[in-house]
Amino acid sequence: MKMEGFRIFQILALLSLSAIFPVIHGWGTDGHLTVCRIAQSRLSEAAAEAVKNLLPESAENDLGSVCSWADKVKFRYHWSSPLHYIDTPDDLCTYQYNRDCKDENGEKGRCVAGAINNYTTQLLTYNSASTQAEYNLTEALLFLSHYMGDIHQPLHVGFTSDRGGNTINVHWYTRKQVLHHVWDANIIETAEERLYDSNVDGLIDAIQQNITTEWVNLVKRWETCSANKTTCPDIYASEGIKAACDWAYKGASEGSTLEDDYFDSRLPIVNLRLAQGSLNLCTICTIVKHKKLFLRKTDRLIFPRPRSPKTSKLMLSFLSCITYGSFRISHLCNHLCFYL
Ligand SMILES: *[C@@H]1O[C@H](CO)[C@@H](O)[C@H](O)[C@H]1NC(C)=O
Ligand SMILES: *[C@@H]1O[C@H](CO)[C@@H](O)[C@H](O)[C@H]1NC(C)=O
Ligand SMILES: *[C@@H]1O[C@H](CO)[C@@H](O)[C@H](O)[C@H]1NC(C)=O
Ligand SMILES: *[C@@H]1O[C@H](CO)[C@@H](O)[C@H](O)[C@H]1NC(C)=O
C-alpha cells in the first residue's frame, strides 16, 4: 500500500515537471525522423546491412536517431550550410539545376540537389581502390539522409529574396513565427498534438499506412526514377518549388495569421512530401544495387582479354559466381560482403 502511494507520488511529480518544462520539439527534428524511420523500414536486405555498417555505433542501427546530425554540424562544418536548400528566382515557380543550384557566391552545384548527387556518388565509390580513403562514408550517409528530407520540404526550394520564407513574418495561430518555420515544424507539431497524442510515432504509422494503401502510385514513381538513375533530385526540387507556390506562399503574405483553414489544407501536402522523401531515400537501395554491377565490371577489367564472345561470357559468369561465393562464405571483407 505504502509502496503504491509512493509510485503515484512519483508519477504525479513527473507529470507536474513535464507541465512546467514541456518537451521542446527540435527544429524540424520530427520531420527528418519520420523520413528516416520510414525509409529504413523499407530498405532492401542488402541496403539495410550497408546502412547498419555505416551508422555510428551510438546510433544503435536507428537511422532516425541521427537524421538531424547535418543540422547539428552546420556551424562546425560551415561549408555545409548552403547545402540544405535551393534559392530560385522570385515568383517564377520553376527550378533549373544550371540556373539555381549554386551558393551565395555563385559556386555551382552548392545546393541541396547538388549535395544529394555528391553524397550519392561518394557512396557509390565505396571500396573502389582509388578513392577508398577519400570520403567519410558515415558522414555521406548521414548527409544524404538529411538532405533527402530537406529537398522535400517545399520551402527548402523557395524564393531568393525571402530566403525560403525565412523573412516572412506570420502568426501561427497566436504565436509569432516565420513562414519557413511553420513548414519545418509547426504544421507537423500541430498535427501531432491534435491527431496523435503529441507522439511522432503516431504520425509515422499513419504515413506508413497510407504508403501501402492510398499512395501505392508513389512507389511506382520512385521505381521509375530508380530504373534509369541512381537518384533524381532535380525532379524532387521541381516538385518542391511548385508546392511552395501552390501551397506554402499562397495566403501567407507578411503579417498574415495562419489558422485552421491553412492547417487543414496544407497538412495533406506535408504528409505527402514526408512520404515521398521516405520513398526517395531508397536511393540507398539503388546505390547498393549499383555496387553489385560495379563489382561485375571490375571482374571484367581484371580479365580484359576477349576470347570468343561465348567463352568470355561463360568465363565471366563463372568468375562472378566464384567471387560472389567466396565473399559470402569467407566473410574476409565485411564491407564488400554487404554489397553482394
Ligand atoms: C561534397 O562532399 C564533400 C565531403 O563532405 C564536401 O567537402 C563538399 O563540399 C560537398 N559538395 C557538395 C556540392 O555537396
Ligand atoms: C567519420 O565521421 C564521423 C561523424 O563525423 C566520425 O565520428 C568518424 O570518426 C569519422 N570517421 C573517420 C574514419 O574519420
Ligand atoms: C491517409 O489517407 C486518408 C484518406 O485519404 C487521409 O484522410 C489521411 O489524412 C491520410 N493520413 C496521412 C497521415 O497522410
Ligand atoms: C526511364 O526510362 C523509361 C523507359 O525505359 C521511360 O519511360 C521513363 O520516362 C524514364 N524515366 C525517367 C525519370 O527518366
Side-chain angles (χ1 to χ4, degrees):
M1 218 38 216
K2 228 177 173 183
M3 199 64 191
E4 205 134 281
F6 183 64
R7 274 258 168 80
I8 290 170
F9 171 76
Q10 274 186 320
I11 291 169
L12 281 178
L14 272 175
L15 279 177
S16 58
L17 266 180
S18 60
I20 300 168
F21 304 105
V23 181
I24 297 164
H25 287 283
W27 311 91
T29 308
D30 283 0
H32 284 290
L33 180 75
T34 301
V35 167
C36 281
R37 278 269 163 81
I38 296 176
Q40 192 176 17
S41 75
R42 299 181 56 88
L43 292 176
S44 61
E45 209 177 305
E49 282 297 331
V51 165
K52 190 175 172 191
N53 248 4
L54 287 172
L55 280 177
E57 198 102 318
S58 58
E60 294 176 347
N61 196 27
D62 176 10
L63 185 61
S65 71
V66 281
C67 208
S68 289
W69 173 84
D71 275 336
K72 296 201 183 103
V73 297
K74 244 190 225 177
F75 300 100
R76 182 150 52 95
Y77 292 166
H78 201 66
W79 51 265
S80 72
S81 54
L83 303 180
H84 290 253
Y85 58 87
I86 300 169
D87 284 337
T88 69
D90 292 358
D91 302 317
L92 269 191
C93 299
T94 61
Y95 156 81
Q96 286 169 18
Y97 183 88
N98 283 327
R99 182 189 67 196
D100 305 329
C101 190
K102 53 184 178 352
D103 63 14
E104 278 170 346
N105 303 320
E107 197 178 326
K108 278 253 164 116
R110 300 200 63 77
C111 80
V112 66
I116 288 173
N117 288 330
N118 185 27
Y119 292 108
T120 298
T121 308
Q122 287 182 22
L123 287 167
L124 278 168
T125 68
Y126 195 24
N127 271 328
S128 67
S130 58
T131 45
Q132 195 158 10
E134 205 172 319
Y135 305 113
N136 181 326
L137 295 180
T138 295
E139 293 193 345
L141 174 68
L142 302 189
F143 276 130
L144 176 66
S145 305
H146 183 88
Y147 294 143
M148 192 59 84
D150 277 347
I151 201 170
H152 286 81
Q153 202 275 57
L155 285 176
H156 275 248
V157 191
F159 298 151
T160 307
S161 67
D162 60 43
R163 307 171 63 87
N166 269 301
T167 66
I168 299 176
N169 298 294
V170 296
H171 277 88
W172 179 248
Y173 293 89
T174 53
R175 224 179 324 153
K176 276 180 81 159
Q177 206 53 270
V178 295
L179 184 61
H180 185 92
H181 188 262
V182 167
W183 282 79
D184 261 353
N186 295 122
I187 296 176
I188 293 174
E189 283 170 17
T190 302
E192 284 171 10
E193 279 160 22
R194 291 194 186 171
L195 304 170
Y196 310 111
D197 288 333
S198 295
N199 189 348
V200 68
D201 293 331
L203 172 69
I204 292 173
D205 288 348
I207 292 178
Q208 234 158 353
Q209 183 85 38
N210 278 11
I211 286 176
T212 56
T213 54
E214 306 278 313
W215 293 335
V216 279
N217 64 318
L218 291 186
V219 180
K220 295 222 179 72
R221 271 165 68 106
W222 148 251
E223 283 164 354
T224 311
C225 161
S226 68
N228 307 342
K229 297 178 101 180
T230 314
T231 185
C232 302
D234 291 340
I235 293 177
Y236 316 146
S238 298
E239 292 167 350
I241 184 60
K242 185 150 192 316
C245 287
D246 290 350
W247 299 101
Y249 285 121
K250 193 166 272 179
S253 52
E254 173 75 20
S256 48
T257 297
L258 309 177
E259 298 177 298
D260 284 351
D261 279 352
Y262 193 88
F263 172 72
D264 291 341
S265 52
R266 272 58 171 180
L267 178 60
I269 309 301
V270 170
N271 286 334
L272 184 68
R273 291 304 276 167
L274 289 173
Q276 288 175 325
S278 312
L279 292 173
N280 294 334
L281 186 49
C282 206
T283 284
I284 299 168
C285 308
T286 321
I287 292 170
V288 171
K289 247 199 244 160
H290 279 235
K291 281 309 290 186
K292 221 159 137 186
L293 297 177
F294 177 78
L295 284 174
R296 295 237 177 89
K297 272 196 205 130
T298 314
D299 291 346
R300 211 165 297 166
L301 286 177
I302 297 170
F303 300 96
R305 184 148 303 165
R307 287 151 230 258
S308 83
K310 224 178 179 178
T311 350
S312 76
K313 231 188 204 161
L314 260 175
M315 192 71 182
L316 253 177
S317 336
F318 180 64
L319 282 167
S320 303
C321 280
I322 297 220
T323 323
Y324 179 79
S326 62
F327 278 137
R328 289 308 293 250
I329 292 158
S330 71
H331 291 273
L332 264 182
C333 167
N334 265 332
H335 296 313
L336 274 178
C337 284
F338 288 121
Y339 287 104
L340 283 166

